[in-house]
Amino acid sequence: MTIATAQRAAETPNETALGDERVVITWAELDSTLNRATNALLGAGLGEGQRIAVFAENAAETVLGHLSGILAGVSTVPVNFHLTAEEVQYILEDSQSGMVLVGPETAEVGLEAARAAGVGLVVGWRCPDDSGVLSWEAFLERGEDADPPSDMAPKPFLHYTSGTTGRPKGTETPPTMFAGGATVAEHFEIVGQNARFAAGGVSLVVSPLYHTGPLGSVRAVTAGQTLVILGRFNAENVLRAIEQHGVTNTLMVPTHFQRLLALPEDVRAKYDVSSLLMVSHTGAACPVEVKRAMIEWFGPVLFEAYGATEAGSTNAIGSEEWLEHPGSVGKTLPPFECLILDEDGNQLAAGEEGQIYFRDTTGRGIIYHNAPDKTEAAHLQPGVFTLGEIGYLDDDGYLFITDRSSDMVVSGGVNIYPAETEQVLVTHDAIADCAVIGVPNKEMGEELKALIVLAEGATAPDAADLDAFCREHLAGYKCPRSYDFVADIGRNTMGKINKRKLRAPYWPTDRSIG
């Protein structure tokens, strides 16, 4: 299929190429399956610009779905498998998806969303015969086991972030995270030149494949690297997989580190992790003591990347650098330049705390799908944008994050914009107004808390009722963990709320990760 996979299929046909907790696929089997899946996609009748939504939990087939999309020159849309049918429907419509891939855990919701969105082709693996979806095996039978054309332009993924104004925003994988190339063949040649994806290595996926970071590992298999997929995170299972498969690289978030460190010392000591060459981490600020403990355990193999789905990595730092600058997220990477500005837009000196902005020297900045107004609103000026955080640069150019200026909450490495939750809560008969904020959670970093103003004469609902109400409309991770009833949330005459002021009583004075 690609040069590397075809070579591995010829030289080591019976060695493992891709596996999850249920199935192992050899290089020979992978080459044949990707041929069939890609040819089937090319014959699926998708219209110009239509995409394939992948709405499934972590599995080998989830990887195959995304890979066959790239190989067919079709953009895939990774959809969070926690979402409700209503939420998935919006994404299918906004992304112009003409096909949906589902697993047994998501088939019912995916089929409901597809019907509502007018998507006629739903393909599922390991689903009951009466589920109403076309089986993955039957879909593969539609494609020939012959090399498909590779002269199509490769298409980046279309990711959806939680919405700042109540609706998710679509954004394509930026150029800094998606290898270029005029054709699919050129694209995978570039992927194969990436040292991180060196053939013979073993990559381990422990995070959901609807996130940008883990999706990067999907392309590793096309460079000849074995890919091992785990499902829901279990700390000991991760250590077992590292030892069993000789894992060389993986990506985690700080919550994963905390769960690993929470294992009893005798359990941690049972497993050999010396095969690891790189453990990337992203998604949230990592407490200094947690990161230091992980470096002491795994060795100087941690590599931190700071950025966002919309922009890619803006900053990065290796273990040895970090030990010299503990708490930093590293120096800014080309093509970005970091600017620290005060409230009036004036640039601040080293050591002075202010709003963090990045200038994309290519002029691209960040782009939202079908939303030119949101794209414009994200920029201070063309190519200059913020990720909504406060911090400073030290004298050596290392960036430190100290607070957040945006409403966004980061829980377990997942970005949550409270606007969606607020828009659901205010439809409750007992609620006149509300604000949803992030408050500390030792393991997850942050969790959602709703501050609720009761409607006149209403009795306060209990937390279970409010939780059930939210879950009717929202994925569980968007629902508050707690509810406080307050007299006022401080809206000004323009209807705006100072979220930083509302959060302040719940947070320590120093929120710096340094």
Side-chain angles (χ1 to χ4, degrees):
M1 174 45 58
T2 68
I3 294 175
T5 54
Q7 185 174 345
R8 292 298 301 265
E11 297 176 354
T12 55
N14 298 318
E15 289 188 6
T16 298
L18 172 65
D20 59 22
E21 293 155 305
R22 175 191 52 86
V23 67
V24 170
I25 299 173
T26 66
W27 285 105
E29 292 167 338
L30 176 69
D31 200 52
S32 173
T33 301
L34 283 178
N35 282 344
R36 290 187 177 279
T38 303
N39 284 320
L41 280 181
L42 291 171
L46 293 175
E48 181 66 27
Q50 284 194 308
R51 294 179 170 85
I52 304 164
V54 183
F55 178 51
E57 295 200 9
N58 281 16
E61 294 91 345
T62 306
V63 172
L64 295 171
H66 283 297
L67 282 179
S68 57
I70 301 175
L71 288 160
V74 179
S75 173
T76 62
V77 183
V79 183
N80 187 329
F81 54 71
H82 294 100
L83 299 184
T84 66
E86 181 182 347
E87 292 169 319
V88 176
Q89 177 190 345
Y90 172 79
I91 291 174
L92 297 183
E93 293 172 342
D94 189 70
S95 65
Q96 296 176 288
S97 290
M99 175 179 173
V100 183
L101 300 180
V102 298
E105 305 88 354
T106 57
E108 183 177 351
V109 172
L111 194 59
E112 180 184 348
R115 286 170 175 164
V119 179
L121 182 55
V122 181
V123 177
W125 41 85
R126 291 178 278 114
C127 297
D129 293 338
D130 60 354
S131 63
V133 306
L134 177 68
S135 75
W136 175 247
E137 291 76 17
F139 180 71
L140 290 180
E141 289 176 2
R142 297 182 176 185
E144 296 182 0
D145 185 5
D147 286 344
S150 59
D151 57 352
M152 305 81 72
K155 302 290 179 62
F157 306 117
L158 181 64
H159 311 269
Y160 276 81
T161 66
S162 293
T164 54
T165 56
R167 282 293 194 182
K169 304 189 298 289
T171 183
E172 289 188 344
T173 308
T176 55
M177 295 191 69
F178 190 80
T183 66
V184 166
E186 289 182 14
H187 174 80
F188 285 110
E189 284 182 21
I190 296 170
V191 171
Q193 293 165 8
N194 187 330
R196 173 186 167 203
F197 297 150
V202 180
S203 187
L204 176 68
V205 172
V206 302
S207 300
L209 283 165
Y210 54 77
H211 285 311
T212 315
L215 275 174
S217 298
V218 165
R219 295 187 289 276
V221 72
T222 67
Q225 189 168 110
T226 298
L227 188 60
V228 178
I229 311 294
L230 296 185
R232 302 294 177 98
F233 187 88
N234 176 283
E236 187 170 1
N237 285 349
V238 169
L239 296 180
R240 184 180 295 112
I242 291 170
E243 179 180 77
Q244 178 182 347
H245 299 284
V247 170
T248 56
N249 57 281
T250 187
L251 180 142
M252 299 187 190
V253 299
T255 299
H256 294 152
F257 293 162
Q258 291 175 313
R259 291 179 179 177
L260 287 165
L261 290 167
L263 289 170
E265 185 60 39
D266 61 325
V267 174
R268 290 170 50 186
K270 281 168 54 178
Y271 300 99
D272 181 4
V273 297
S274 61
S275 61
L276 289 170
L277 301 177
M278 178 182 288
V279 178
S280 304
H281 70 99
T282 187
C286 188
V288 168
E289 66 277 9
V290 170
K291 185 162 180 175
R292 195 183 303 276
M294 287 301 300
I295 293 173
E296 290 174 354
W297 178 11
F298 279 14
V301 298
L302 269 66
F303 183 84
E304 182 170 2
Y306 168 77
T309 300
E310 298 93 326
S313 297
T314 61
N315 293 70
I317 189 168
S319 293
E320 293 176 354
E321 268 187 299
W322 184 88
L323 290 171
E324 296 174 359
H325 303 268
S328 174
V329 295
K331 290 187 173 181
T332 305
L333 303 170
F336 302 109
E337 296 173 350
C338 185
L339 309 172
I340 308 297
L341 306 181
D342 65 16
E343 293 181 357
D344 296 320
N346 300 310
Q347 190 162 350
L348 299 173
E352 293 186 304
E353 184 182 81
Q355 181 84 40
I356 302 169
Y357 281 87
F358 294 97
R359 176 185 288 117
D360 183 346
T361 58
T362 69
R364 179 184 185 274
I366 56 181
I367 300 172
Y368 292 115
H369 175 69
N370 285 342
D373 55 334
K374 293 178 182 178
T375 298
E376 183 178 359
H379 293 83
L380 180 67
Q381 54 185 259
V384 179
F385 61 91
T386 180
L387 303 180
E389 294 189 292
I390 303 293
Y392 65 92
L393 291 167
D394 69 10
D395 290 331
D396 297 319
Y398 286 86
L399 178 63
F400 291 77
I401 311 296
T402 58
D403 201 353
R404 185 174 304 115
S405 61
S406 73
D407 292 350
M408 184 179 71
V409 175
V410 183
S411 183
V414 177
N415 294 345
I416 308 170
Y417 285 95
E420 287 184 273
T421 311
E422 291 166 349
Q423 289 189 11
V424 168
L425 281 170
V426 294
T427 64
H428 193 288
D429 292 340
I431 297 176
D433 202 358
C434 74
V436 176
I437 60 174
V439 297
N441 177 292
K442 186 174 181 180
E443 181 182 51
M444 306 297 284
E446 293 182 90
E447 64 179 48
L448 294 185
K449 174 183 283 290
L451 305 178
I452 293 172
V453 179
L454 287 173
E456 187 173 353
T459 301
D462 62 32
D465 288 341
L466 289 172
D467 191 57
F469 181 78
C470 286
R471 287 175 183 271
E472 287 181 22
H473 307 281
L474 296 168
Y477 73 93
K478 299 178 185 177
C479 299
R481 295 283 190 94
S482 58
Y483 304 85
D484 288 358
F485 296 94
V486 297
D488 182 65
I489 55 173
R491 284 194 188 274
N492 64 18
T493 56
M494 299 299 292
K496 295 184 177 181
I497 305 170
N498 186 333
K499 289 286 185 79
R500 292 187 73 189
K501 186 175 180 180
L502 291 178
R503 289 197 305 262
Y506 299 94
W507 286 93
T509 303
D510 180 12
R511 289 184 59 189
S512 170
I513 62 172

